[in-house]
Amino acid sequence: MSQIANISSKFSTAGLRDKTRGDKVIWAIVVVLSLVSLLVVYSATNSLAYKLYKGNTYVYLFKQIAFISLGIIIVYFAHRVNYTIYSRVAKMLFYISIVLLIYTLFFGTKINDGSRWIKLPIINLTVQTSDIAKLALFMYLSRLLSKKQHVIKDFKKGFIPMMIPIVVICGLIAPANLSTALLTGATSMLLLFIGRVSFKHIALVAATVAIPVIILIAIAGAYYDKEEGKMKELPAVLSAGRVPTWIKRVQDFMYAAKGEAPYQVQQAKIAVAKGGLFGLGPGNSEQRNFLPHPYSDYIYAIIIEEYGIIGAAFIVFIYMVFLFRSIRLFRKCPYAFGAFLALALSFTLVIQAMTNMAVNVGLFPVTGVTLPLVSMGGSSFLFTCLSIGIILSVARNVEDAEGKAENVKEELA
């Protein structure tokens, strides 16, 4: 009986390995961050759930379990798809994302003068269309980079065709979500640099983007009342859309030491200060009762408060390992499209994570980006899982190619 049990366990293990192919370290990272997410989201939403649901503190925990379960299913099925299919649908998905972004700007759900979401009928789920657009953009850029390597240094034939989709997508995202547009643009330029695009062309883009950023900083300084510690009244030309929000966030970051820092920044700093080296312990956060969005935008501050600098450093380490494994995958992938796609998706997730953490500790102006795979579930969480599934699809195909090469060597030997 024991022999039968051992044989069945071997078969089940082999079956599981066969079904979950690809980089095992990335799979482990998905599991670890999902577990961290469950712990921290439950802690961060404990008080909120108690107030809203008459003492039931498990509502958001069960919701997060559902999102994580769905996310892992998405990772699994995405990694089983041959990544070359994404190259075939990249162009169509890119055009669809443009339509969705335009629709969102005019007819989407408006929050704080910004329209970022559309609501899906029947399931009643709000989707941030910029997530779709980022995924489509990186698929399309990876396809272009793989096809234009022979003219990659040429300004008209190589550089311009790749800059057009970047400008279009970032330009449509920017009115409602400037931080996401800037991060998407920065990730795109990093991908172009790795794709051997001429450095002088990339430097030209960086200089062009720096002009409006410098102007925004100058306007923020000119319309800040240092005596009152607040923003002066803006002229009509600077009061359209989310421009006042951009100016206010720059002012808050520039003059926080001289004036009063924004409420959420103050509470995040208190959480970080309370955390110390080892933290207050799991579930013992005090700032969750005061910090806005402790389960999404400011979840890293809760991690520091409960797990200290050691816990915070562990999260940084996990994302760095993920980036390292993705770079390793880029170097091993025999086909350009898969290599560029895996690298682009990993870069955007890690850059988003670093931005979220920098905001939480006061090193970056306030943005609305979440911590990938850790912040409470939503459409962004599911698209993160889809991105990781695509990365694992590339890893699975690399693994298969290496396995075939080993078999050929054994046959020749």
Side-chain angles (χ1 to χ4, degrees):
M1 291 294 291
S2 61
Q3 289 180 345
I4 295 173
N6 290 334
I7 293 171
S8 62
S9 65
K10 287 180 181 180
F11 275 111
S12 61
T13 304
L16 181 63
R17 288 177 181 175
D18 183 61
K19 291 178 180 178
T20 55
R21 305 291 296 277
D23 194 307
K24 296 298 186 289
V25 175
I26 294 179
W27 273 109
I29 287 171
V30 172
V31 173
V32 169
L33 288 180
S34 297
L35 292 175
V36 170
S37 177
L38 282 177
L39 289 172
V40 185
V41 167
Y42 175 62
S43 176
T45 58
N46 192 287
S47 299
L48 179 63
Y50 185 86
K51 293 176 184 177
L52 295 180
Y53 295 95
K54 299 179 180 180
N56 186 355
T57 60
Y58 297 102
V59 173
Y60 293 110
L61 174 64
F62 291 141
K63 182 179 178 181
Q64 187 66 1
I65 290 173
F67 267 108
I68 289 174
S69 301
L70 180 58
I72 290 177
I73 291 172
I74 290 172
V75 171
Y76 173 77
F77 283 105
H79 109 285
R80 298 290 294 180
V81 175
N82 192 310
Y83 72 87
T84 57
I85 291 176
Y86 300 117
S87 176
R88 299 171 199 166
V89 302
K91 193 171 184 179
M92 179 182 66
L93 189 60
F94 173 71
Y95 290 131
I96 291 173
S97 68
I98 292 175
V99 175
L100 288 175
L101 286 175
I102 294 172
Y103 176 85
T104 304
L105 279 177
F106 293 100
F107 306 106
T109 303
K110 289 187 178 292
I111 299 177
N112 297 329
D113 297 320
S115 182
R116 304 181 187 181
W117 296 269
I118 57 173
K119 184 172 286 188
L120 298 179
I122 303 174
I123 61 174
N124 203 32
L125 176 69
T126 54
V127 176
Q128 196 163 329
T129 50
S130 60
D131 291 326
I132 303 173
K134 286 192 298 182
L135 184 59
L137 174 63
F138 294 134
M139 283 183 185
Y140 192 48
L141 278 182
S142 300
R143 175 187 168 93
L144 288 176
L145 279 170
S146 64
K147 290 182 176 294
K148 291 186 175 292
Q149 284 296 304
H150 62 292
V151 291
I152 201 68
K153 300 293 184 182
D154 189 273
F155 185 77
K156 291 183 178 180
K157 295 180 180 179
F159 182 68
I160 293 296
M162 284 181 287
M163 277 308 302
I164 290 174
I166 296 173
V167 171
V168 170
I169 294 297
C170 292
L172 290 173
I173 293 175
N177 197 341
L178 182 61
S179 56
T180 297
L182 290 174
L183 292 177
T184 302
T187 305
S188 300
M189 299 315 297
L190 185 59
L191 182 64
L192 295 191
F193 175 74
I194 294 171
R196 301 192 312 111
V197 171
S198 175
F199 180 75
K200 63 181 181 181
H201 297 157
I202 296 174
L204 178 63
V205 174
T208 304
V209 173
I211 294 173
V213 172
I214 292 171
I215 292 173
L216 179 63
I217 294 172
I219 291 172
Y223 285 92
Y224 184 76
D225 191 328
K226 295 181 181 180
E227 294 182 359
E228 296 289 333
K230 62 181 182 180
M231 183 169 60
K232 296 178 183 178
E233 186 178 350
L234 296 173
V237 69
L238 296 176
S239 300
R242 287 181 56 81
V243 176
T245 303
W246 302 341
I247 295 173
K248 181 69 168 61
R249 286 182 175 179
V250 173
Q251 289 176 341
D252 290 338
F253 183 71
M254 291 172 59
Y255 302 105
K258 299 178 181 178
E260 186 177 348
Y263 177 77
Q264 65 266 41
V265 175
Q266 291 181 24
Q267 299 304 319
K269 288 181 177 179
I270 294 172
V272 172
K274 285 182 176 179
L277 185 62
F278 298 104
L280 302 178
N284 293 326
S285 170
E286 297 171 358
Q287 292 311 113
R288 66 188 174 193
N289 300 315
F290 308 100
L291 188 61
H293 305 292
Y295 45 82
S296 57
D297 298 4
Y298 280 92
I299 199 166
Y300 190 63
I302 303 299
I303 291 173
I304 298 175
E305 185 183 11
E306 293 191 347
Y307 299 93
I309 295 174
I310 292 177
F314 174 74
I315 297 298
V316 174
F317 172 74
I318 289 293
Y319 284 111
M320 288 298 97
V321 171
F322 174 71
L323 181 61
F324 170 76
R325 299 298 295 189
S326 298
I327 293 173
R328 179 175 175 269
L329 179 60
F330 168 79
R331 298 179 66 179
K332 292 175 69 176
C333 187
Y335 301 107
F337 172 75
F340 287 130
L341 182 59
L343 200 62
L345 295 178
S346 62
F347 272 149
T348 191
L349 294 178
V350 173
I351 289 174
Q352 179 181 329
M354 293 302 157
T355 302
N356 174 275
M357 290 186 277
V359 169
N360 277 241
V361 298
L363 296 178
F364 204 76
V366 175
T367 63
V369 297
T370 56
L371 192 58
L373 280 184
V374 177
S375 293
M376 192 165 72
S379 64
S380 180
F381 184 92
L382 298 180
F383 276 104
T384 296
C385 291
L386 178 58
S387 297
I388 293 174
I390 293 171
I391 294 170
L392 286 169
S393 171
V394 177
R396 182 175 67 86
N397 281 271
V398 170
E399 188 179 80
D400 290 343
E402 288 179 341
K404 290 178 182 178
E406 287 295 327
N407 290 336
V408 171
K409 286 181 182 179
E410 289 177 3
E411 289 177 2
L412 292 176

